Amino acid sequence: MKVAVLDIKGKDTGRKVELSKDVFGIEPNEHAIYLDVKQYLAHQRQGTHKAKERAEIAGSTRKIKKQKGTGTARAGSIKSPVFRGGGRIFGPRPKDYSQKLNKNVKRLARKSALSLKSKDKALLVVEDFSFESPKTKDFMNVLKSLGIESKKSLIVLGDSNNNVYLSSRNLKGSEVVKNSELSTYKILNAKSVVLLESSIEGIESNLSK
């Protein structure tokens, strides 16, 4: 499948690139997408939540009142969970939320996500560009020229380009990644995916293994 190559002003350069049907034109597998996004979101959880239980509370262990004759319930240590300042019953403990997923399923998910964007006409190919220095204004001009300044966008670079990355860092609605950092979640989270020419070979190479 051939796609027109645009310049940073949003104009057609007259050239076209061939996108692999095995990566950008497959029948999307929704279950693979679900599993990959679920794993990505699970990995974002730190799992450092913790509440002190009875054994971890600092306090005396002496019996606070006699067993009988008070007219109220029996009570032992002040660290009991029924008292204010006592330990918490079945409180949260540190936990690792990471999940395992087969590499082939992850590749299928990314190919499915790219195919969905291609099918929805939300995939643009732009010739490689760079900035002399990091400037958010220059990056915004590129987004405006492409007509995606008001949309969530994902710009995929072939190689690391520090000036382009730093120029985008102040913008909440736009993200710049290298082709090796591409994930199913990031593809689906963006309304428009912009591929720089140099990124296509790397994407197809990574997902055709």
Side-chain angles (χ1 to χ4, degrees), residues 157-206:
L157 306 175
D159 298 310
S160 58
N161 188 322
N162 206 39
N163 285 346
V164 174
Y165 168 72
L166 292 175
S167 298
S168 69
R169 206 162 51 164
N170 287 337
L171 303 174
K172 290 184 179 180
S174 185
E175 185 176 6
V176 173
V177 297
K178 293 190 295 183
N179 55 33
S180 58
E181 300 169 339
L182 205 56
S183 70
T184 304
Y185 177 83
K186 289 181 179 179
I187 295 169
L188 295 176
N189 192 43
K191 294 292 183 183
S192 295
V193 177
V194 179
L195 305 179
L196 267 60
E197 267 190 285
S198 60
S199 70
I200 296 174
E201 183 179 352
I203 292 171
E204 293 180 348
S205 175
N206 291 337

Coordinates of all heavy atoms in Angstrom, one line a residue, residues 157-206:
L157 N 10.0 9.0 15.3 CA 11.3 9.3 14.7 C 12.0 8.0 14.3 O 11.8 7.0 14.9 CB 12.2 10.1 15.7 CG 11.6 11.4 16.3 CD1 12.6 11.9 17.3 CD2 11.3 12.4 15.2
G158 N 12.9 8.2 13.3 CA 13.7 7.0 12.9 C 14.9 6.9 13.9 O 15.1 5.8 14.5
D159 N 15.6 7.9 14.1 CA 16.7 8.0 15.1 C 16.4 9.1 16.1 O 15.5 9.9 15.9 CB 18.0 8.3 14.4 CG 18.4 7.2 13.4 OD1 18.3 6.0 13.8 OD2 18.7 7.6 12.2
S160 N 17.1 9.0 17.2 CA 16.8 10.0 18.3 C 17.2 11.4 17.7 O 18.2 11.6 17.1 CB 17.7 9.7 19.5 OG 19.0 9.7 19.2
N161 N 16.3 12.4 17.9 CA 16.5 13.7 17.5 C 16.2 14.6 18.7 O 15.0 14.9 19.0 CB 15.6 14.1 16.3 CG 15.9 15.4 15.7 OD1 16.2 16.4 16.4 ND2 15.8 15.5 14.4
N162 N 17.2 15.0 19.4 CA 17.0 15.7 20.7 C 16.3 17.0 20.5 O 15.4 17.4 21.4 CB 18.4 15.9 21.4 CG 18.2 16.0 22.9 OD1 17.5 15.3 23.5 ND2 19.0 17.0 23.5
N163 N 16.5 17.8 19.5 CA 15.9 19.1 19.3 C 14.4 18.9 19.1 O 13.6 19.7 19.6 CB 16.5 19.9 18.2 CG 17.9 20.4 18.5 OD1 18.3 20.4 19.7 ND2 18.7 20.8 17.6
V164 N 14.0 17.9 18.3 CA 12.6 17.7 18.0 C 11.9 17.2 19.3 O 10.8 17.7 19.6 CB 12.4 16.7 16.9 CG1 10.9 16.3 16.7 CG2 12.9 17.2 15.6
Y165 N 12.6 16.3 20.0 CA 12.0 15.8 21.3 C 11.8 16.9 22.3 O 10.7 17.1 22.9 CB 12.9 14.7 21.8 CG 12.5 14.3 23.2 CD1 11.4 13.6 23.5 CD2 13.3 14.7 24.3 CE1 11.0 13.3 24.8 CE2 13.0 14.4 25.6 CZ 11.8 13.7 25.9 OH 11.5 13.3 27.1
L166 N 12.8 17.8 22.5 CA 12.7 18.8 23.5 C 11.7 19.9 23.1 O 11.1 20.5 23.9 CB 14.1 19.5 23.7 CG 15.2 18.6 24.3 CD1 16.5 19.3 24.3 CD2 14.8 18.2 25.7
S167 N 11.5 20.1 21.8 CA 10.6 21.1 21.3 C 9.1 20.7 21.6 O 8.2 21.5 21.7 CB 10.7 21.3 19.8 OG 12.0 21.8 19.5
S168 N 8.9 19.4 21.7 CA 7.5 18.8 22.0 C 7.2 18.6 23.4 O 6.1 18.4 23.8 CB 7.4 17.5 21.2 OG 8.2 16.5 21.9
R169 N 8.2 18.8 24.3 CA 8.0 18.3 25.7 C 7.0 19.2 26.5 O 6.5 18.7 27.4 CB 9.4 18.3 26.4 CG 9.5 17.3 27.5 CD 10.9 17.0 27.9 NE 11.7 18.2 28.1 CZ 12.9 18.3 28.8 NH1 13.3 17.1 29.3 NH2 13.5 19.4 28.9
N170 N 6.8 20.4 26.1 CA 5.9 21.3 26.8 C 4.5 21.1 26.4 O 3.5 21.7 26.9 CB 6.3 22.8 26.6 CG 7.5 23.2 27.3 OD1 7.9 22.5 28.3 ND2 8.2 24.2 26.9
L171 N 4.2 20.3 25.3 CA 2.9 20.1 24.8 C 2.3 18.8 25.3 O 2.8 17.7 25.1 CB 2.9 20.1 23.2 CG 3.6 21.3 22.6 CD1 3.7 21.1 21.1 CD2 2.8 22.6 22.9
K172 N 1.1 19.0 26.0 CA 0.5 17.8 26.6 C -0.1 16.9 25.5 O -0.2 15.7 25.7 CB -0.6 18.3 27.6 CG -0.1 18.9 28.9 CD -1.2 19.2 29.8 CE -0.7 19.8 31.1 NZ -1.8 20.2 32.0
G173 N -0.6 17.5 24.5 CA -1.3 16.7 23.5 C -0.4 16.1 22.4 O -1.0 15.5 21.5
S174 N 0.9 16.2 22.5 CA 1.7 15.6 21.5 C 2.9 14.9 22.2 O 3.4 15.3 23.2 CB 2.3 16.7 20.6 OG 3.0 16.2 19.5
E175 N 3.3 13.8 21.6 CA 4.4 13.0 22.1 C 5.3 12.6 21.0 O 4.9 12.2 19.9 CB 3.9 11.8 22.9 CG 5.0 11.0 23.6 CD 4.4 9.8 24.4 OE1 3.2 9.5 24.3 OE2 5.2 9.1 25.1
V176 N 6.6 12.6 21.3 CA 7.6 12.2 20.3 C 8.4 11.0 20.8 O 8.8 11.0 21.9 CB 8.6 13.3 20.0 CG1 9.8 12.8 19.1 CG2 7.9 14.5 19.3
V177 N 8.4 9.9 20.0 CA 9.1 8.7 20.4 C 9.9 8.1 19.2 O 9.7 8.5 18.0 CB 8.1 7.6 20.8 CG1 7.3 8.0 22.0 CG2 7.1 7.2 19.6
K178 N 10.9 7.3 19.5 CA 11.6 6.6 18.4 C 10.9 5.4 18.0 O 10.0 4.9 18.8 CB 13.0 6.2 19.0 CG 13.9 7.4 19.3 CD 15.4 6.9 19.5 CE 15.4 6.1 20.8 NZ 16.8 5.7 21.1
N179 N 11.2 4.8 16.9 CA 10.4 3.7 16.4 C 10.6 2.5 17.3 O 9.7 1.6 17.4 CB 10.8 3.3 15.0 CG 12.3 3.0 14.8 OD1 13.0 2.6 15.7 ND2 12.8 3.4 13.7
S180 N 11.7 2.4 18.1 CA 11.9 1.3 19.0 C 11.1 1.4 20.3 O 10.9 0.5 21.0 CB 13.4 1.2 19.3 OG 13.8 2.4 19.9
E181 N 10.5 2.6 20.5 CA 9.7 2.9 21.7 C 8.2 2.8 21.5 O 7.4 3.1 22.4 CB 10.1 4.3 22.3 CG 11.5 4.5 22.6 CD 11.9 5.9 22.9 OE1 11.2 6.8 22.5 OE2 12.9 6.1 23.6
L182 N 7.9 2.5 20.2 CA 6.5 2.4 19.9 C 5.7 1.4 20.6 O 6.2 0.2 20.8 CB 6.4 2.2 18.4 CG 5.1 2.7 17.6 CD1 4.9 4.1 17.8 CD2 5.2 2.3 16.1
S183 N 4.5 1.7 21.2 CA 3.7 0.8 21.9 C 2.3 0.8 21.4 O 1.8 1.9 20.9 CB 3.8 1.0 23.4 OG 3.1 2.2 23.7
T184 N 1.5 -0.2 21.7 CA 0.1 -0.3 21.2 C -0.7 0.8 21.9 O -1.5 1.5 21.3 CB -0.5 -1.7 21.6 OG1 0.3 -2.7 21.0 CG2 -1.9 -1.8 21.1
Y185 N -0.4 1.0 23.2 CA -1.2 2.0 24.0 C -0.9 3.4 23.4 O -1.9 4.2 23.2 CB -0.8 2.0 25.4 CG -1.4 3.1 26.3 CD1 -2.7 2.9 26.8 CD2 -0.8 4.3 26.5 CE1 -3.4 3.9 27.5 CE2 -1.4 5.3 27.2 CZ -2.7 5.1 27.7 OH -3.3 6.1 28.5
K186 N 0.3 3.8 23.1 CA 0.6 5.1 22.6 C 0.0 5.3 21.2 O -0.4 6.4 20.9 CB 2.1 5.3 22.5 CG 2.8 5.4 23.9 CD 4.3 5.7 23.8 CE 4.9 5.8 25.2 NZ 6.3 6.0 25.2
I187 N 0.0 4.3 20.4 CA -0.6 4.4 19.0 C -2.1 4.7 19.2 O -2.6 5.6 18.5 CB -0.4 3.1 18.2 CG1 1.1 2.9 18.0 CG2 -1.1 3.1 16.9 CD1 1.5 1.5 17.4
L188 N -2.8 3.9 20.0 CA -4.2 4.0 20.1 C -4.6 5.3 20.9 O -5.7 5.9 20.7 CB -4.8 2.8 20.9 CG -4.7 1.5 20.1 CD1 -5.2 0.4 21.0 CD2 -5.4 1.5 18.8
N189 N -3.7 5.8 21.8 CA -4.0 7.0 22.6 C -4.0 8.2 21.7 O -4.5 9.3 22.1 CB -3.1 7.1 23.7 CG -3.5 8.1 24.8 OD1 -4.6 8.2 25.1 ND2 -2.5 8.9 25.2
A190 N -3.3 8.2 20.6 CA -3.2 9.4 19.7 C -4.3 9.4 18.6 O -4.6 8.3 18.1 CB -1.8 9.4 19.1
K191 N -4.8 10.5 18.4 CA -5.8 10.7 17.3 C -5.1 10.6 15.9 O -5.7 10.2 14.9 CB -6.6 12.0 17.4 CG -7.4 12.1 18.7 CD -8.6 11.1 18.6 CE -9.5 11.3 19.8 NZ -10.6 10.3 19.8
S192 N -3.9 11.1 15.9 CA -3.1 11.1 14.6 C -1.7 10.6 14.9 O -1.1 11.0 15.9 CB -3.0 12.5 14.0 OG -4.3 13.0 13.6
V193 N -1.2 9.7 14.0 CA 0.1 9.1 14.1 C 0.9 9.6 12.9 O 0.5 9.4 11.8 CB 0.1 7.6 14.2 CG1 1.5 7.0 14.2 CG2 -0.7 7.1 15.4
V194 N 2.0 10.3 13.2 CA 2.9 10.8 12.2 C 4.2 10.1 12.1 O 4.9 10.0 13.1 CB 3.2 12.3 12.4 CG1 4.1 12.9 11.3 CG2 1.9 13.1 12.5
L195 N 4.4 9.4 11.0 CA 5.6 8.6 10.8 C 6.6 9.4 10.0 O 6.3 9.9 8.9 CB 5.3 7.3 10.1 CG 4.3 6.4 10.8 CD1 4.1 5.1 9.9 CD2 4.6 6.0 12.2
L196 N 7.8 9.6 10.5 CA 8.9 10.2 9.7 C 9.4 9.1 8.8 O 9.4 7.9 9.1 CB 10.0 10.8 10.5 CG 9.8 12.3 10.9 CD1 8.6 12.5 11.7 CD2 11.0 12.8 11.7
E197 N 9.8 9.5 7.6 CA 10.2 8.5 6.6 C 11.2 7.5 7.1 O 11.1 6.3 6.8 CB 10.8 9.2 5.3 CG 9.8 9.5 4.3 CD 10.4 10.0 3.0 OE1 10.9 11.2 3.0 OE2 10.5 9.2 2.0
S198 N 12.2 8.0 7.8 CA 13.3 7.2 8.3 C 12.8 6.1 9.4 O 13.5 5.2 9.7 CB 14.4 8.0 8.9 OG 13.9 8.8 10.0
S199 N 11.6 6.3 9.9 CA 11.1 5.4 11.0 C 10.4 4.2 10.4 O 10.3 3.2 11.1 CB 10.1 6.2 11.9 OG 8.9 6.4 11.2
I200 N 10.0 4.3 9.1 CA 9.2 3.2 8.6 C 10.0 1.9 8.5 O 9.5 0.8 8.8 CB 8.6 3.6 7.2 CG1 7.7 4.8 7.3 CG2 7.9 2.4 6.5 CD1 7.2 5.4 6.0
E201 N 11.2 2.0 8.0 CA 12.0 0.8 7.9 C 12.2 0.1 9.2 O 12.1 -1.1 9.3 CB 13.4 1.2 7.2 CG 14.3 0.0 7.0 CD 15.6 0.3 6.4 OE1 15.8 1.5 6.0 OE2 16.5 -0.6 6.3
G202 N 12.5 0.9 10.2 CA 12.7 0.3 11.6 C 11.4 -0.3 12.1 O 11.5 -1.4 12.7
I203 N 10.3 0.3 11.9 CA 9.0 -0.2 12.4 C 8.7 -1.6 11.7 O 8.4 -2.6 12.4 CB 7.9 0.8 12.1 CG1 8.0 2.0 13.0 CG2 6.5 0.1 12.4 CD1 7.0 3.1 12.6
E204 N 8.9 -1.6 10.4 CA 8.6 -2.8 9.7 C 9.6 -3.9 10.0 O 9.2 -5.1 10.1 CB 8.6 -2.6 8.2 CG 7.5 -1.7 7.7 CD 7.5 -1.4 6.2 OE1 8.5 -1.7 5.6 OE2 6.5 -0.9 5.7
S205 N 10.8 -3.5 10.3 CA 11.9 -4.5 10.7 C 11.6 -5.1 12.1 O 11.7 -6.3 12.3 CB 13.2 -3.9 10.7 OG 14.2 -4.7 11.2
N206 N 11.1 -4.3 13.0 CA 10.8 -4.7 14.3 C 9.6 -5.6 14.4 O 9.5 -6.5 15.2 CB 10.6 -3.5 15.3 CG 11.9 -2.7 15.5 OD1 13.0 -3.3 15.4 ND2 11.8 -1.5 15.9

